[in-house]
């Protein structure tokens, strides 16, 4: 069973995610972190295999980098409404395992989480092709 921790500052989103996860036997939603300031410490203390992080203005590249350094074994999936191409590229370079749009259905979300739990990466084809086509300036 894959243990998942959700970070979101939206209780309604957490309730919906919890309802979806309750029907998927191979996942255990071990908790929800509602405060970005507590995210890294919560992940370090609870040691989930996978963390679904609702990307908002409180989650910075610095915070993601710190999280990757302090809990490198935790697979991170960003849950986004939209993500600028450069930010997607930067998060991938930090070691994020997936970027999942909130507008996708529960079946796709579960498919993403299953693949990331299995050690794969999840980046939608549309995002991957945009990254392949983009000329990244260092």
């Amino acid at each position: 069973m894959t243990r998942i921790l959700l970070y979101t500052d939206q209780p309604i989103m957490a309730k919906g995610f919890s309802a979806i996860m309750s029907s998927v036997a191979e996942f255990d939603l071990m908790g929800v972190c509602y405060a970005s300031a507590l995210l890294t410490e919560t992940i370090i203390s609870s040691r989930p295999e996978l963390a679904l992080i609702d990307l908002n203005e409180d989650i910075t590249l610095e915070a993601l980098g710190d999280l990757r350094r302090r809990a490198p074994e935790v697979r991170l999936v960003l849950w986004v409404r939209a993500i600028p191409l450069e930010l997607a590229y930067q998060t991938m370079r930090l070691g994020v395992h997936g970027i999942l749009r909130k507008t996708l259905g529960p079946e796709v979300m579960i498919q993403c989480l299953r693949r990331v739990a299995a050690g794969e990466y999840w980046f939608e084809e549309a995002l991957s092709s945009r990254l392949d086509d983009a000329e990244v300036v260092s």
Side-chain angles (χ1 to χ4, degrees):
M1 184 169 290
T2 300
R3 294 173 305 144
I4 298 176
L5 179 82
L6 171 65
Y7 161 74
T8 185
D9 59 357
Q10 300 177 44
I12 297 292
M13 296 273 294
K15 290 279 187 192
F17 183 76
S18 178
I20 292 167
M21 288 295 103
S22 69
S23 68
V24 184
E26 72 259 33
F27 292 123
D28 173 25
L29 179 58
M30 57 188 302
V32 179
C33 178
Y34 291 102
S36 62
L38 301 175
L39 179 60
T40 299
E41 294 309 319
T42 301
I43 286 177
I44 289 170
S45 65
S46 61
R47 292 291 185 206
E49 282 91 16
L50 197 148
L52 182 62
I53 299 174
D54 184 1
L55 190 62
N56 61 32
E57 64 276 352
D58 293 337
I59 303 298
T60 64
L61 285 173
E62 182 180 332
L64 289 172
D66 182 54
L67 182 54
R68 293 298 306 141
R69 281 187 297 282
R70 296 181 66 198
E73 70 285 356
V74 178
R75 296 180 190 105
L76 303 180
V77 176
L78 300 181
W79 202 13
V80 305
R81 176 160 269 309
I83 188 166
L85 189 59
E86 182 60 25
L87 182 58
Y89 177 75
Q90 291 171 330
T91 61
M92 290 168 74
R93 287 184 61 196
L94 285 174
V96 166
H97 290 81
I99 298 175
L100 178 66
R101 283 185 300 125
K102 293 177 185 178
T103 56
L104 299 173
E107 302 82 19
V108 177
M109 179 179 60
I110 292 166
Q111 180 184 12
C112 165
L113 297 177
R114 282 181 176 144
R115 289 177 75 184
V116 171
E120 298 177 36
Y121 289 84
W122 176 275
F123 302 103
E124 290 178 68
E125 189 175 319
L127 176 60
S128 295
S129 65
R130 284 179 43 217
L131 286 166
D132 289 342
D133 293 342
E135 185 174 321
V136 179
V137 179
S138 298

